[in-house]
Amino acid sequence: DGAEDRGLELGDAEAFENVPGQGIRATVDGRDVLVGNRTLLSNNGIDTAPAADTLERLESEGKTAMLVAIDGTLAGVVADADTVKESAKAAVSELQERGIDVMMITGDNERTARAVAEQVGIDPDNVRAGVLPEDKSDAVEAIQSEGRRAMMVGDGVNDAPALAVAYVGTAIGSGTDVAIEAADVTLMRDDPL
């Protein structure tokens, strides 16, 4: 949408590949394009150092910054941000007042995760960042192996295994069908309160 708003022509992606926990690779108009995190680009021999300051600034704002490389050369940074729901801070606060530890398990990097956790009042020690999609259920199981009961709240395909292993899996009603199917409880609205 952003490219079209700027009047840019978009080529079709071919040979599209999802690299779990890292990003995507595709061929666009005969050029090799990578969009993802530092690991994806580094694993492909691309120096990410020129973008370090930009990445740090965006991540400190709670945004997920993705590097873009074209034909093996760093081309830019694209950032997006999940909008924190206005009621999220109040929901976290209410749970904490009831003596419940609120944790965040996310694939985002440490800096972005901590910025978001700070916005909603989650203790930085309760943030598990950089968790690969396939490892979210392991993270929930690790919490439960300490003799605790975990309630996992999620809305995406990557959350489904963790929702299934949690003592109580809670899906957000506006989420994916897979998350809703894996959960014990589905919130009919997307308001955490």
Side-chain angles (χ1 to χ4, degrees):
D1 290 341
E4 288 173 352
D5 288 347
R6 291 167 177 83
L8 302 173
E9 290 185 29
L10 301 175
D12 291 327
E14 301 168 7
F16 181 89
E17 177 189 356
N18 176 35
V19 183
Q22 295 182 22
I24 59 167
R25 161 185 276 117
T27 303
V28 180
D29 294 334
R31 302 177 82 182
D32 186 36
V33 178
L34 298 172
V35 180
N37 60 22
R38 294 169 184 86
T39 303
L40 178 67
L41 273 67
S42 295
N43 288 348
N44 285 276
I46 300 167
D47 180 19
T48 62
D53 290 344
T54 301
L55 289 171
E56 185 174 335
R57 177 182 55 80
L58 292 168
E59 291 165 354
S60 295
E61 295 170 1
K63 296 177 180 168
T64 300
M66 297 163 283
L67 297 157
V68 179
I70 301 172
D71 291 334
T73 303
L74 181 65
V77 179
V78 177
D80 73 350
D82 290 329
T83 304
V84 175
K85 297 193 183 319
E86 288 184 29
S87 59
K89 186 171 185 170
V92 168
S93 178
E94 277 196 38
L95 289 168
Q96 290 167 336
E97 286 172 13
R98 295 176 186 198
I100 297 172
D101 289 329
V102 180
M103 300 180 165
M104 177 189 291
I105 301 171
T106 179
D108 279 332
N109 67 67
E110 193 77 29
R111 189 177 296 120
T112 300
R114 287 182 181 273
V116 172
E118 185 178 324
Q119 288 177 37
V120 297
I122 296 174
D123 183 333
D125 292 338
N126 286 347
V127 174
R128 296 180 188 196
V131 179
L132 295 173
E134 62 269 20
D135 295 335
K136 283 186 176 182
S137 61
D138 292 341
V140 170
E141 286 179 331
I143 292 165
Q144 294 181 143
S145 72
E146 300 166 359
R148 304 166 84 174
R149 293 180 177 167
M151 176 177 155
M152 169 72 183
V153 180
D155 66 354
V157 172
N158 295 334
D159 297 324
L163 291 167
V165 302
Y167 185 76
V168 177
T170 303
I172 304 294
S174 60
T176 63
D177 290 344
V178 173
I180 291 169
E181 195 65 34
D184 301 299
V185 176
T186 299
L187 301 179
M188 297 310 292
R189 294 185 300 274
D190 60 359
D191 181 347
L193 278 174

